[in-house]
Amino acid sequence: MINVQLGGNISTNVGGLQTLRYGNIEDHVNGLEVVLSDGTILNFLNKLKKDNFGPKLWKLFCGSEGVFGIITRASLKLIPKKDYKSTYLIQINSLNKSIRLLKYLRNKYFDNLTSFEIIFPIPSSLLFNENKNNYNLIIEIQSNDNKNYKNELKKYFSSMNLVINKREDNKAKSWIWKKREILVYNQIKYNFTEKFDISLPLDKWSTFINKINTFTKNNKEFTPYFFGHLGDGNLHCNFKVNPFTKKNCSNLSKFIYELTIKNQGSVAAEHGLGLKKNNLLKKYKPNKNYIFLKKLKKHLDPDFKLGKNKLFKA
Ligand SMILES: Cc1cc2nc3c(=O)[nH]c(=O)nc-3n(C[C@H](O)[C@H](O)[C@H](O)COP(=O)(O)OP(=O)(O)OC[C@H]3O[C@@H](n4cnc5c(N)ncnc54)[C@H](O)[C@@H]3O)c2cc1C
């Protein structure tokens, strides 16, 4: 038994920069102990890999932001760390090429491909001081082979005319990942403060981005600042809004949410809903699903003691 605090991570079903390879935290949970609002302690802890002795009810508590119960203990699945890591910063000139590259690498290296991040032109130009038409990719390969496929990848990237701007091998303090962190802070610095955390199926990214391009061309008050975890479909599509008015912000969010749903996406990919987005389930989930969720809440926490107004309004 080890003592770490993961309740928040499990109840938000955290993912991150390697979700492509490792999934969200629910993929590493094998059972939970939870306390309901009336004080009932439910022990769903489990060490078994194969267990269909009833449904996995603890899954309800992953990603439900604490509104059904408090997680007090977890059984986790641990996996060994890979020995070697190479991180590439690659310049590329189109989204479609990036998607083709992801498919090729995922097919060839499967679970040795741990990250595939995309940075669209505006954040790229601000971050790397470069041409406004370039995209940048951060690609990470981890394996137990000490060559870590470096030669074959070098040849492949060069055959595709892709520029490797930097490669880091087994770096504890990575310059590339530091830049990825700065990218997030730059949003505030440059006023890209209207943020949407969505995810889309890979085959819908191009359609979605084409619609956005037309929208921003016709509505000059919105400037996009896009980056995301292309590998797992999560796009942070953020904007500068000028003039920053309530009406402009509401038009923008309506447009983004409707376009996302139309393309079979999710309007809350990795940051959850909390209090700020507690109107979205009612608006965008099928009504029957929303009613089922409310009934479940009423059953597990009839007096709304837990997480008041989180996920949806009481
Ligand atoms: C700036 C920012 C960037 C982020 N980037 C990413 C990202 O890149 N990838 C990603 O996946 N996520 C991201 N997140 C989301 C973040 O990972 C989650 O907020 C995080 O996992 C929460 O963990 P915490 O320990 O901070 O929990 P807290 O913030 O303390 O709690 C989060 C939620 O869980 C509930 N909770 C806390 N403990 C328990 C418990 N024991 N039982 C039941 N419910 C509980 C709280 O009530 C709250 O609703 C980001 C969040 C922020 C604010």
Side-chain angles (χ1 to χ4, degrees):
M1 171 110 75
I2 46 169
N3 208 348
V4 283
Q5 295 192 332
L6 289 172
N9 287 172
I10 296 172
S11 80
T12 54
N13 196 19
V14 63
L17 299 168
Q18 298 182 348
T19 303
L20 166 65
R21 161 67 181 89
Y22 296 104
N24 295 301
I25 198 167
E26 66 185 345
D27 300 312
H28 300 270
V29 172
N30 218 20
L32 297 173
E33 178 191 79
V34 296
V35 181
L36 301 184
S37 66
D38 65 0
T40 306
I41 301 173
L42 293 173
N43 186 336
F44 299 121
L45 294 170
N46 199 346
K47 287 186 180 170
L48 303 171
K49 193 171 177 74
K50 207 175 243 182
D51 170 29
N52 286 319
F53 188 29
K56 294 186 166 34
L57 295 174
W58 55 266
K59 288 228 172 200
L60 272 179
F61 299 85
C62 298
S64 55
E65 299 186 28
V67 303
F68 293 148
I70 307 293
I71 298 163
T72 41
R73 284 196 294 164
S75 331
L76 299 177
K77 299 172 200 169
L78 300 181
I79 48 173
K81 211 173 156 192
K82 301 268 168 109
D83 293 334
Y84 304 100
K85 165 173 90 178
S86 305
T87 315
Y88 297 83
L89 178 67
I90 294 202
Q91 215 176 73
I92 195 162
N93 58 14
S94 91
L95 172 63
N96 287 338
K97 254 195 204 169
S98 308
I99 293 173
R100 283 200 297 276
L101 179 63
L102 166 64
K103 285 183 177 165
Y104 172 82
L105 295 178
R106 173 83 170 153
N107 204 23
K108 186 143 201 238
Y109 299 103
F110 188 53
D111 67 359
N112 290 328
L113 176 68
T114 48
S115 297
F116 197 108
E117 299 282 305
I118 186 163
I119 308 172
F120 278 66
I122 290 181
S124 283
S125 66
L126 292 169
L127 195 62
F128 302 113
N129 219 353
E130 63 187 26
N131 182 316
K132 276 204 170 137
N133 299 316
N134 290 334
Y135 293 69
N136 276 271
L137 303 174
I138 301 176
I139 296 173
E140 195 160 277
I141 300 274
Q142 293 189 14
S143 77
N144 290 329
D145 166 7
N146 67 357
K147 299 208 174 68
N148 207 13
Y149 314 110
K150 277 180 277 197
N151 285 340
E152 60 182 70
L153 276 166
K154 194 174 166 194
K155 272 191 206 142
Y156 180 71
F157 290 145
S158 139
S159 74
M160 297 290 291
N161 289 326
L162 295 173
V163 183
I164 303 179
N165 269 349
K166 196 170 181 69
R167 191 187 81 210
E168 293 174 336
D169 296 316
N170 308 313
K171 267 269 164 89
K173 275 196 167 179
S174 158
W175 179 89
I176 298 176
W177 285 118
K178 185 75 200 163
K179 281 283 182 189
R180 172 61 177 73
E181 223 177 287
I182 294 170
L183 168 78
V184 175
Y185 296 116
N186 276 355
Q187 297 177 102
I188 306 288
K189 186 172 166 191
Y190 298 111
N191 279 326
F192 293 90
T193 50
E194 278 307 284
K195 297 184 193 161
F196 301 89
D197 164 44
I198 66 155
S199 65
L200 295 160
L202 202 53
D203 62 354
K204 297 289 183 189
W205 273 62
S206 293
T207 316
F208 182 89
I209 296 298
N210 287 341
K211 293 272 181 211
I212 296 273
N213 287 343
T214 311
F215 177 76
T216 51
K217 218 170 160 189
N218 295 334
N219 298 278
K220 296 283 181 221
E221 53 274 45
F222 307 118
T223 314
Y225 184 102
F226 288 8
F227 60 97
H229 318 285
L230 185 62
D232 63 49
N234 183 188
L235 173 66
H236 296 291
C237 65
N238 303 333
F239 291 84
K240 183 193 285 181
V241 180
N242 187 12
F244 191 83
T245 61
K246 215 174 162 185
K247 186 165 172 248
N248 280 343
C249 293
S250 126
N251 287 345
L252 177 66
S253 57
K254 187 169 182 301
F255 177 76
I256 298 294
Y257 289 142
E258 286 178 2
L259 186 62
T260 305
I261 297 293
K262 202 169 162 200
N263 284 286
Q264 287 114 46
S266 163
V267 298
E270 69 177 5
H271 293 165
L273 294 163
L275 297 171
K276 245 182 160 176
K277 297 184 181 171
N278 64 5
N279 60 332
L280 296 185
L281 279 173
K282 189 172 183 190
K283 249 186 175 160
Y284 296 112
K285 278 278 180 201
N287 192 245
K288 283 181 189 161
N289 301 25
Y290 178 68
I291 290 171
F292 178 74
L293 184 74
K294 283 194 86 168
K295 277 188 185 158
L296 206 56
K297 169 74 175 167
K298 206 169 173 194
H299 178 72
L300 292 172
D301 179 22
D303 301 322
F304 274 81
K305 286 183 192 155
L306 300 174
K308 193 157 183 159
N309 290 328
K310 276 192 189 157
L311 293 192
F312 52 82
K313 287 179 192 150

